[in-house]
Amino acid sequence: MVMEEILETASRLGIDLSQVDLDSLRLPPGEDFWHQKVKNQNHETISDDEDMNEEYPLEFDMGFGNIIVVDNLPVVPKEKFEKLEGVVRKIYGQIGVIKEDGFWMPVDPATQKTLGQCFIEYNTPREAELAREKTHNYKLDKSHVFAINMFDDIEKFLKVPDEWAPPETKPYTPGENLQQWLTDEKARDQFVVRSGSDTEVLWNDARHLKPDPVYKRAFWTESFVQWSPLGTYLATVHRQGTAVWGGATTFKQLMRYAHSQVKLIDFSPGERFLVTYSSHEPSNPRDTHRVVLNIFDVKTGKVMRDFKGNADEFVVGGTGGVTGVSWPVFRWGGGKDDKYFARIGKNVISVYETETFTLIGKKSIKVENIMDFSWSPTDPILALFVPELGGGNQPARVSLIQIPGKEEMRQKNLFSVSDCQMYWQSNGDYLAVKVDRYTKTKRSTYTGFELFRIKERDIPIEVLELENKNDKIIAFAWEPKGHRFAVIHGDSPKPDVSFYSMRTTHNTGRVSKLTTLKGKQANALYWSPAGRYIILAGLKGFNGQLEFYNVDELETMGVAEHFSATDIEWDPTGRYVATSVTSIHEMENGFNIWSFNGKLLYRILKDHFFQFLWRPRPPSFLSPEKEEEIFKNLKKYSKKYEAEDQDVSLLLSEQDREKRRRLKDEWDSCVNDWKKWHEEDRSERQSLRDGEASDEEEEYEAKEVEVEELLDVSEEVLAFEE
Amino acid sequence: MRPILMKGHERPLTFLKYNRDGDLLFSCAKDHTPTVWFADNGERLGTYRGHNGAVWCCDVSRNSMLLITGSADQTAKLWNVQTGSQLFSFNFDSPARAVDFSVGDKLAVITTDPFMGLPSAIHVKRIAQDPSEQTGESVLTIKGPQGRINRTVWGPLNKTIISAGEDAVVRIWDSETGKLLKESDKETGHKKTVTSLSKFADGSHFLTGSLDKSAKLWDIRLLTLIKTYVTERPVNAVAMSPLLDHVVLGGGQDASAVTTTDHRAGKFEAKFFDKILQEEIGGVKGHFGPINALAFNPDGKSFSSGGEDGYVRLHHFDPDYFHIKI
């Protein structure tokens, strides 16, 4: 293809190529025209990170990614050439479409025999990749086992030196403190926003009522960004793979994970591992998509395990559809040690452990018809849901399974169930199972909750039904680290919100209702990560209604609106809330920052706004006792901060006054200039107006004119009486 | 502040203009008839019939005798304000967009749109004392830049002409030679189409509104950017109070993109800003579509807005307006 272009250019310029010694040409040092071209082509979409381009295999039309080299073909004389070609074409034609002129089997000019090699060019690199995968080590016969290589790789192989040299030991360089941001003096939090082509990390400087920039970069990612669960890394996603960024003062690339066409990523909760996912169009449209999953070690960048297969092997429960899977495919469990991860399959749950990346006990757990499962957020416990079988003869079931022993800790049978949802409390203390049951007529469903107390002996289960059994459940949320939960129930347009506690005043073992708020414009619940406060949010149809509610005092702290807000996120400390309008809507893209009690602190508008993400914080190292102590003596601790707050607010108002004064002065000087000019021009202006009396023109005189109008005159004779 | 609703147009409003005395209000709309109203009570006085296309802009002479209008029917017309009779028609080969009388009313500047391969242009016409002597001859024609010129006004002492339009650049031209004198800076200037331009009463500075959701205040002689007012909606119309340091921006979501879900989504408010501090101080709601035109009464005590909804709303300020403190 490229050669053709060269030939064409040559003939246009009248150069006889055979006369040109190409090797005598010297390119200017440091120039690499080939790379240059590629880079320019991809500049629009790829991050401007230079070395990224060089090391990742790029896919471009002009490359040779779609060519494979087949070795170990039989060496045949001229007569058998066509027959061999037929055989090879048949094998490779099945895998993909070979290009016209895409088959070349070189012949030794001396012997007129083939060299035992051929080159095959497909339409797409994907087909070539597939062909390599499928026919590498293909046995044509006993003595001819195919060896397939990508054409692009050949060059790489040539560079491998013949002699082995011991690798150089790199001197140890201490890494940066990746947790530097946690030591911010003002204890601020960071967040990342993505709008247009820019990605930006900022401090939330709530005291100064504005964000404070940390790092900004255009084309940092090609699809989205994501923080790791403890906030150490920021992951960017590119066509060639994923990269993580972090550092003490700025954002540097720390590691790259090559995974072509990566679509989705997921960190393990302790950030030790990264799962990347891609799905590829099949070359044959009747086939399902091919799915590739890689699990990387975040620190070393090593692939720990990869999974490949057809999409339908990874789709269970029918939620994923034909092209995708329900994400995350692998769910991590077992607390922060990243010990186990699990995946649901047809009638099985496969639990892997990260020591060896193999199945626990070498086999999956068999569970007929399993629909859904979830991990306890803190312990190696799995909760499973199996629907009704045999037309109701075998009841639906929720069971808890301990890993790695795989023994069942608790099980509950449920009857006439249509669906189940599982909600874990963040400490793994409680599990709420929302059960939708059919009514007797089977025409409608009603909802109840099964509440498991995981940490108590024998795991007691309590059944909770709403006062009005027919109420639809719109949202459910546990108080983080707490014992309370909130439910939005009822029928729109104005549902009710109820709060429950897993404790009652006298008995810690019973659930009790705290209160019900009637007729709220809410359809989503956002608890503060510190508990106690909750936002009752009316998104979508409610246009962004926000109610900030204090559950300790059972009172509303503030009501506000962020018109057409699409997303709400609490900062990791529970001090601030961000609401944003993303580019789902055309207008008013941007975000608002609120205090926990519903005071609008600042508002930033950005067109084409895509993402707002607070940087997560790792869990506190303070013991619960210490936290308790701080909470008790809050006054003592807060004194220092209150003083600081006051200083800042004084400073701010001083700055504000200063700014106003400055603006005023600037303006006055402008106005003076203008007045002077105006005065200078007076006579000329007058002459332009044929001497019309002058410049009182702009000075407007309001005269009060009284107008009396006689509307009507009527005469009336009044009788005079004595 | 209860507005007076003036329903005289059948199509979206395009432009509003008060005469110098502030007793008459002229309105232009996409229907073909400019209309004159009593600026005090909103009573309709009369119409100017004769155009055969949307009327984009108008200007009235200092003595309130002469009205000039620019229309999509490829003409700009002179009218007798009092009788409503057409005095003269300047014919062009493309729609006329912006018109403005010079100081002294002896000249008028008229811009024409790019049309059928013709580029946009700025024409300077001499306005005869006696309408019977009026000719269509141009004193000067400036071949415009790329794209439509949405507004043009005279600079101080008629020495310059200021134009702005689709290419987002504000330009100052020499009105004698037609030479380009100044251009607004690409970095600090508008990023999208400039939709409106309004001179301050004494002609010392002017305000431009743009679809980039901002309005900018410029020095008319030096073309230095003095202030920027940022809002949440594309700006279609701007006006400056002659009395207080206030500016008003009108606009809203593009009419074709207006959602039907919530009238608030459009933000069809006239927004008041502090001219010096560049801070928003208030808003006047009411229109059911984007605001296309704004004008302040020269006495600064009332203003009117014209909307895509076909209404002109005339607002007389409450007494407390004059004591706003921020």
Side-chain angles (χ1 to χ4, degrees):
Chain A
M1 218 162 8
V2 179
M3 207 54 207
E4 273 166 28
E5 260 179 53
I6 296 172
L7 288 172
E8 203 183 288
T9 320
S11 68
R12 203 173 58 234
L13 298 171
I15 299 169
D16 185 359
L17 265 186
S18 57
Q19 304 289 311
V20 178
D21 181 7
L22 285 169
D23 289 331
S24 70
L25 292 176
R26 283 280 169 271
L27 296 179
E31 276 279 36
D32 185 338
F33 291 110
W34 172 251
H35 258 104
Q36 208 64 28
K37 195 162 188 180
V38 172
K39 241 175 253 169
N40 291 342
Q41 264 178 358
N42 291 289
H43 196 82
E44 290 291 295
T45 47
I46 289 190
S47 83
D48 50 353
D49 186 39
E50 300 259 322
D51 49 12
M52 193 107 178
N53 278 330
E54 276 155 27
E55 282 184 33
Y56 277 114
L58 277 174
E59 263 182 29
F60 31 81
D61 314 339
M62 319 197 33
F64 301 112
N66 52 342
I67 303 179
I68 55 167
V69 184
V70 185
D71 271 305
N72 290 345
L73 286 174
V75 175
V76 295
K78 220 176 170 185
E79 306 81 65
K80 285 194 174 173
F81 183 95
E82 266 176 36
K83 192 169 177 206
L84 181 62
E85 178 178 349
V87 171
V88 176
R89 267 187 187 272
K90 196 175 161 197
I91 295 170
Y92 287 95
Q94 286 170 347
I95 294 164
V97 183
I98 301 176
K99 264 196 180 173
E100 221 174 294
D101 305 329
F103 182 89
W104 184 49
M105 189 147 57
V107 176
D108 188 336
T111 61
Q112 292 294 315
K113 280 187 177 177
T114 63
L115 293 167
Q117 294 175 334
C118 77
F119 298 83
I120 292 169
E121 185 176 3
Y122 283 106
N123 274 328
T124 62
R126 197 145 310 128
E127 286 167 313
E129 183 81 37
L130 195 70
R132 186 184 65 158
E133 242 170 64
K134 282 206 171 168
T135 64
H136 190 59
N137 293 334
Y138 177 86
K139 278 185 186 153
L140 188 67
D141 54 47
K142 255 196 186 141
S143 50
H144 296 101
V145 180
F146 285 5
I148 319 294
N149 285 300
M150 303 300 288
F151 186 80
D152 276 346
D153 291 339
I154 299 284
E155 200 178 337
K156 206 163 70 193
F157 296 148
L158 287 175
K159 278 189 197 151
V160 176
D162 292 338
E163 299 247 333
W164 181 80
E168 276 176 59
T169 14
K170 278 190 200 154
Y172 171 74
T173 45
E176 286 182 53
N177 179 5
L178 299 179
Q179 252 111 36
Q180 185 82 30
W181 97 96
L182 291 170
T183 60
D184 180 49
E185 284 211 345
K186 298 174 208 154
R188 297 171 299 180
D189 276 292
Q190 286 189 349
F191 58 86
V192 63
V193 291
R194 210 157 58 74
S195 64
S197 54
D198 291 343
T199 304
E200 204 174 346
V201 179
L202 303 145
W203 289 108
N204 169 32
D205 206 332
R207 272 185 185 146
H208 292 101
L209 303 177
K210 64 177 190 328
D212 187 9
V214 179
Y215 186 74
K216 181 177 180 174
R217 187 162 173 158
F219 304 107
W220 198 357
T221 177
E222 283 174 46
S223 46
F224 60 93
V225 293
Q226 190 171 323
W227 293 105
S228 61
L230 305 181
T232 317
Y233 311 105
L234 181 71
T236 58
V237 180
H238 309 263
R239 269 186 299 173
Q240 307 94 329
T242 303
V244 294
W245 307 71
T249 47
T250 174
F251 281 83
K252 278 187 221 135
Q253 197 179 68
L254 301 171
M255 188 51 72
R256 285 194 303 251
Y257 315 96
H259 183 155
S260 173
Q261 311 283 325
V262 58
K263 290 259 157 54
L264 297 166
I265 59 170
D266 184 38
F267 282 95
S268 65
E271 349 185 288
R272 280 179 61 198
F273 303 104
L274 174 74
V275 186
T276 58
Y277 162 88
S278 65
S279 89
H280 302 271
E281 289 254 1
S283 47
N284 183 342
R286 274 166 306 195
D287 293 348
T288 49
H289 284 230
R290 261 163 26 85
V291 167
V292 180
L293 285 143
N294 287 319
I295 303 180
F296 294 93
D297 184 301
V298 170
K299 289 212 175 94
T300 62
K302 231 175 89 182
V303 181
M304 303 310 287
R305 169 112 200 223
D306 62 342
F307 297 86
K308 286 180 187 170
N310 284 331
D312 39 3
E313 291 171 35
F314 290 86
V315 181
V316 173
T319 45
V322 196
T323 52
V325 292
S326 59
W327 187 254
V329 171
F330 293 108
R331 301 185 201 166
W332 292 88
K336 301 279 180 251
D337 313 327
D338 295 346
K339 258 185 152 151
Y340 308 108
F341 60 98
R343 161 167 99 81
I344 189 167
K346 284 213 169 73
N347 300 329
V348 289
I349 289 191
S350 310
V351 185
Y352 302 82
E353 48 92 18
T354 55
E355 204 96 341
T356 58
F357 279 88
T358 52
L359 287 168
I360 285 181
K362 304 243 156 48
K363 54 177 187 274
S364 304
I365 307 170
K366 266 217 153 41
V367 188
E368 280 298 313
N369 271 331
I370 176 154
M371 277 287 278
D372 197 10
F373 79 98
S374 68
W375 285 97
S376 154
T378 48
D379 304 293
I381 298 172
L382 275 176
L384 318 176
F385 165 59
V386 180
E388 257 172 7
L389 288 175
N393 284 336
Q394 201 179 325
R397 156 167 80 91
V398 171
S399 55
L400 297 172
I401 292 179
Q402 182 108 38
I403 300 296
K406 301 185 186 174
E407 62 270 336
E408 196 162 78
M409 300 163 65
R410 192 74 164 92
Q411 196 219 57
K412 169 97 185 196
N413 287 336
L414 303 161
F415 296 91
S416 49
V417 170
S418 81
D419 197 14
C420 261
Q421 288 287 335
M422 291 175 275
Y423 301 93
W424 284 93
Q425 185 256 10
S426 71
N427 286 353
D429 292 345
Y430 311 108
L431 169 69
V433 180
K434 188 186 99 181
V435 188
D436 294 334
R437 290 186 175 86
Y438 293 111
T439 50
K440 284 227 170 75
T441 57
K442 287 233 166 192
R443 287 218 186 96
S444 56
T445 59
Y446 65 97
T447 309
F449 291 95
E450 309 280 329
L451 304 165
F452 293 67
R453 293 169 193 273
I454 307 292
K455 298 283 164 78
E456 283 170 38
R457 214 164 67 92
D458 295 339
I459 312 187
I461 302 174
E462 209 170 334
V463 180
L464 172 72
E465 273 178 0
L466 296 174
E467 275 150 43
N468 182 358
K469 273 171 48 169
N470 295 324
D471 271 3
K472 240 174 65 192
I473 305 292
I474 297 163
F476 174 97
W478 282 104
E479 176 181 33
K481 300 177 200 158
H483 57 89
R484 291 175 290 207
F485 60 90
V487 184
I488 305 184
H489 55 95
D491 293 310
S492 298
K494 284 201 163 182
D496 301 340
V497 183
S498 293
F499 294 94
Y500 292 86
S501 168
M502 292 301 279
R503 303 175 189 159
T504 49
T505 35
H506 310 294
N507 185 349
T508 54
R510 280 196 70 80
V511 65
S512 64
K513 191 169 98 169
L514 299 171
T515 188
T516 295
L517 311 171
K518 292 267 179 213
K520 289 288 170 192
Q521 294 203 2
N523 50 20
L525 297 165
Y526 294 91
W527 281 96
S528 155
R532 194 167 164 197
Y533 306 116
I534 189 170
I535 296 175
L536 317 174
L539 304 178
K540 290 177 188 146
F542 289 131
N543 283 331
Q545 298 290 332
L546 308 168
E547 180 164 344
F548 297 77
Y549 194 79
N550 180 337
V551 185
D552 274 5
E553 309 294 331
L554 297 177
E555 65 181 16
T556 301
M557 299 182 293
V559 178
E561 184 194 45
H562 182 187
F563 185 67
S564 63
T566 55
D567 295 272
I568 296 178
E569 201 186 351
W570 283 87
D571 86 329
T573 60
R575 293 176 295 174
Y576 305 104
V577 183
T579 58
S580 46
V581 179
T582 56
S583 63
I584 304 169
H585 295 289
E586 198 181 330
M587 305 300 288
E588 276 192 82
N589 280 195
F591 61 93
N592 287 4
I593 303 288
W594 311 78
S595 68
F596 72 96
N597 55 2
K599 194 179 145 217
L600 180 62
L601 300 176
Y602 58 92
R603 175 175 171 77
I604 307 281
L605 292 170
K606 275 181 191 291
D607 271 350
H608 302 289
F609 190 74
F610 300 118
Q611 266 187 308
F612 181 103
L613 293 172
W614 289 102
R615 188 172 194 171
R617 280 168 180 263
S620 161
F621 288 117
L622 296 178
S623 63
E625 296 78 44
K626 181 75 183 162
E627 268 183 45
E628 186 84 355
E629 191 265 319
I630 292 176
F631 200 68
K632 262 191 191 143
N633 302 317
L634 200 60
K635 280 242 165 71
K636 193 178 90 197
Y637 287 99
S638 65
K639 215 171 238 164
K640 173 183 149 207
Y641 297 102
E642 268 161 19
E644 277 179 27
D645 275 354
Q646 189 143 25
D647 288 350
V648 170
S649 89
L650 276 178
L651 185 74
L652 274 185
S653 55
E654 184 51 42
Q655 276 175 349
D656 198 41
R657 264 199 297 278
E658 183 57 37
K659 192 181 134 203
R660 283 182 179 212
R661 203 175 308 130
R662 208 189 63 237
L663 285 172
K664 190 93 187 144
D665 290 349
E666 277 173 18
W667 180 254
D668 285 345
S669 87
C670 265
V671 170
N672 280 338
D673 276 356
W674 290 332
K675 279 208 175 119
K676 209 175 72 213
W677 283 102
H678 202 64
E679 205 54 38
E680 281 172 19
D681 291 348
R682 180 190 292 266
S683 61
E684 237 177 297
R685 194 161 41 237
Q686 206 166 332
S687 73
L688 277 174
R689 287 191 175 134
D690 299 331
E692 184 189 329
S694 158
D695 255 2
E696 268 38 78
E697 56 197 20
E698 282 83 20
E699 242 126 280
Y700 196 83
E701 239 179 276
K703 266 192 240 156
E704 216 152 284
V705 185
E706 252 176 64
V707 183
E708 268 180 51
E709 236 175 288
L710 200 58
L711 292 175
D712 194 12
V713 181
S714 65
E715 273 181 39
E716 206 174 319
V717 183
L718 295 171
F720 182 77
E721 278 175 48
E722 244 177 290
Chain B
M1 184 167 65
R2 210 184 149 76
I4 298 168
L5 257 71
M6 292 139 77
K7 176 71 184 151
H9 288 287
E10 289 163 6
R11 297 285 315 277
L13 270 287
T14 56
F15 195 75
L16 290 168
K17 181 88 188 177
Y18 282 92
N19 67 340
R20 187 173 95 94
D21 304 317
D23 60 340
L24 299 178
L25 173 65
F26 297 88
S27 64
C28 303
K30 287 188 186 169
D31 59 21
H32 308 162
T33 17
T35 302
V36 60
W37 317 75
F38 273 125
D40 182 40
N41 57 11
E43 216 173 289
R44 183 161 72 166
L45 244 106
T47 55
Y48 302 89
R49 291 182 183 276
H51 273 302
N52 203 13
V55 181
W56 296 119
C57 191
C58 71
D59 195 16
V60 59
S61 66
R62 187 176 154 92
N63 57 11
S64 300
M65 297 300 281
L66 209 54
L67 178 75
I68 185 167
T69 54
S71 162
D73 65 2
Q74 311 196 355
T75 66
K77 291 183 193 292
L78 289 172
W79 309 84
N80 183 321
V81 169
Q82 248 176 324
T83 64
S85 59
Q86 181 184 323
L87 302 173
F88 192 79
S89 181
F90 300 101
N91 295 317
F92 300 98
D93 297 324
S94 61
R97 177 73 51 170
V99 291
D100 193 42
F101 280 126
S102 69
V103 176
D105 298 324
K106 291 191 197 67
L107 296 168
V109 58
I110 303 166
T111 69
T112 51
D113 288 351
F115 186 65
M116 306 278 281
L118 286 171
S120 61
I122 302 169
H123 309 267
V124 178
K125 305 281 185 187
R126 198 173 298 288
I127 303 296
Q129 293 290 84
D130 182 349
S132 60
E133 288 167 22
Q134 181 67 46
T135 63
E137 230 173 289
S138 286
V139 184
L140 174 75
T141 304
I142 305 168
K143 283 277 164 284
Q146 280 293 308
R148 209 158 71 196
I149 299 171
N150 281 329
R151 285 282 173 266
T152 181
V153 293
W154 289 93
L157 304 177
N158 302 342
K159 282 179 181 155
T160 55
I161 291 169
I162 294 124
S163 76
E166 272 185 341
D167 65 353
V169 182
V170 182
R171 292 186 173 79
I172 297 186
W173 312 84
D174 187 316
S175 61
E176 284 285 324
T177 62
K179 242 176 59 189
L180 179 63
L181 298 177
K182 281 191 170 62
E183 262 185 329
S184 64
D185 186 44
K186 281 243 162 47
E187 276 302 305
T188 59
H190 284 295
K191 301 282 180 281
K192 287 187 184 167
T193 299
V194 177
T195 51
S196 48
L197 192 159
S198 164
K199 256 196 315 186
F200 189 66
D202 71 357
S204 60
H205 55 282
F206 63 94
L207 184 66
T208 53
S210 160
L211 298 184
D212 67 8
K213 302 179 187 172
S214 74
K216 289 175 189 286
L217 191 78
W218 312 81
D219 184 298
I220 207 163
R221 291 178 177 85
L222 310 167
L223 198 65
T224 42
L225 178 65
I226 300 169
K227 300 280 178 194
T228 299
Y229 310 92
V230 181
T231 175
E232 296 164 14
R233 292 281 176 262
V235 180
N236 294 342
V238 292
M240 282 184 278
S241 165
L243 200 62
L244 300 173
D245 285 325
H246 291 171
V247 303
V248 193
L249 313 184
Q253 201 171 357
D254 186 21
S256 61
V258 169
T259 52
T260 49
T261 47
D262 198 309
H263 65 94
R264 291 172 303 173
K267 288 265 164 79
F268 309 128
E269 273 174 86
K271 293 263 189 205
F272 278 69
F273 282 74
D274 187 285
K275 195 172 183 179
I276 302 168
L277 302 176
Q278 307 170 79
E279 279 167 34
E280 190 180 319
I281 48 180
V284 177
K285 292 178 190 170
H287 281 288
F288 289 100
I291 293 176
N292 291 339
L294 280 171
F296 248 99
N297 192 305
D299 68 2
K301 291 179 182 163
S302 65
F303 82 102
S304 54
S305 56
E308 187 77 16
D309 57 8
Y311 280 97
V312 178
R313 299 172 74 92
L314 178 59
H315 308 262
H316 291 276
F317 293 113
D318 291 335
D320 10 330
Y321 163 77
F322 302 98
H323 307 289
I324 296 175
K325 281 256 177 340
I326 65 163

